Amino acid sequence: MASEPAPAYTRSEVAYAAGNRDLRVVLHGNPFGLPADRFAEKVLPHMQNRAGVVTTLTTTPNDTARRDYKVVLAFNVAETMLNSSLCTDGPIPTRPPGGPIVVQGAFCRSGGALTSATGWLDRPLGPDDPDFHYLISDMTFSLFPSRRADLFCGAIDC
């Protein structure tokens, strides 16, 4: 489930931050107990082509990446925390591998969240489970909405 984007969120900023360049991804936690690089190999392919611009989402960005921007995914956070807190540079404690997956995500600029989302998977079968792939893809899509709903609402209670 995605929360409403911050008022500062715009598609033009997504293009500035990520268009035709690398965009840094930070992964916290590992619900399958894989080595960090192998877990990244299972996550990153399902994030590609979901940001609305041509970009490479990567844990090892090259010098094209804009330092102020990143996407953070935290798997099975050990303590309750707001998704906006994902954008800080501090460690995020996570639970050991196994069981259901709850993933919290944020698209960050300079330590603040422009967008955030939370998703879950009750019975993951492993890192190659198509449902896990859909979870990552849907999370990424939710972090880069095509528009802010409040800008296109004509009703009183938007």
Side-chain angles (χ1 to χ4, degrees):
M1 169 198 297
S3 55
E4 281 298 310
Y9 175 82
T10 63
R11 295 297 296 165
S12 61
E13 185 165 14
V14 173
Y16 170 79
N20 297 310
R21 64 184 67 247
D22 282 4
L23 179 60
R24 181 169 52 120
V25 175
V26 178
L27 302 174
H28 294 280
N30 185 331
F32 305 113
L34 297 171
D37 60 334
R38 292 249 315 127
F39 182 58
E41 289 172 3
K42 299 296 183 178
V43 171
L44 294 171
H46 306 289
M47 296 180 76
Q48 306 307 326
N49 303 315
R50 303 297 284 167
V53 297
V54 175
T55 189
T56 301
L57 291 125
T58 178
T59 55
T60 56
N62 63 28
D63 60 356
T64 67
R66 297 202 189 273
R67 287 188 231 165
D68 291 344
Y69 295 91
K70 64 183 173 183
V71 173
V72 179
L73 296 180
F75 295 85
N76 297 334
V77 174
E79 302 168 6
T80 302
M81 68 183 303
L82 297 173
N83 289 348
S84 58
S85 299
L86 297 174
C87 295
T88 63
D89 286 330
I92 296 175
T94 59
R95 292 191 310 269
I101 296 172
V102 176
V103 59
Q104 293 175 241
F107 171 48
C108 307
R109 176 187 59 194
S110 301
L114 291 170
T115 64
S116 66
T118 302
W120 59 91
L121 183 57
D122 290 332
R123 293 184 186 101
L125 301 178
D128 295 317
D129 180 352
D131 289 336
F132 178 69
H133 301 168
Y134 292 134
L135 172 65
I136 299 305
S137 179
D138 290 348
M139 282 290 296
T140 308
F141 185 76
S142 293
L143 292 174
F144 297 96
S146 60
R147 62 184 183 183
R148 286 190 12 228
D150 62 321
L151 295 178
F152 298 92
C153 179
I156 295 171
D157 295 328
C158 284

